[in-house]
Amino acid sequence: MVSVSTPKDESRKTAPHKNGSGFNLGTYIKDVRNEAKRVTWPTRRNTLITTGAVLAMVTVTCIFFFIVDQVIGLGVRELFGVGG
C-alpha cells in the first residue's frame, strides 16, 4: 500500500493563485519531485508478500471457475446431449 505523509517541519501551503501565465513545465517537474519525496514506498518484503497473495488468489479463482465451467458443461451435455 502506498501512503503519502507530510513532513512535520513543513506546514501545508495554499494553492498558488492563477495569474493567467498558463502551464509552466519547470514548476510542474519541481512539484512532481517534491510530491515523490513525500511518498512512503512499501518495503521489498511487503511487495513480495502482496504479490504472493495476489498470485495465490488468482490461482484459486482460476481453479474455481474451471470447476464451475466443467459442471455447467456436464449439465448442458446431460440435458441436451450436445457438446461431446
Side-chain angles (χ1 to χ4, degrees):
M1 181 194 280
V2 177
S3 63
V4 179
S5 62
T6 304
K8 302 273 190 247
D9 58 348
E10 259 186 56
S11 61
R12 291 192 166 248
K13 298 176 184 173
T14 59
H17 295 287
K18 292 190 177 190
N19 57 5
S21 63
F23 178 75
N24 185 341
L25 182 62
T27 303
Y28 175 75
I29 291 173
K30 187 178 84 169
D31 289 343
V32 168
R33 284 186 177 179
N34 287 334
E35 287 297 323
K37 289 178 186 176
R38 294 180 185 162
V39 174
T40 304
W41 298 99
T43 63
R44 181 176 179 86
R45 178 177 163 79
N46 286 346
T47 303
L48 291 174
I49 289 172
T50 304
T51 301
V54 168
L55 292 176
M57 290 306 298
V58 166
T59 303
V60 168
T61 304
C62 287
I63 292 169
F64 171 77
F65 282 113
F66 176 77
I67 292 170
V68 168
D69 183 55
Q70 293 300 311
V71 169
I72 290 173
L74 179 65
V76 167
R77 283 191 297 274
E78 290 296 319
L79 187 61
F80 299 112
V82 293

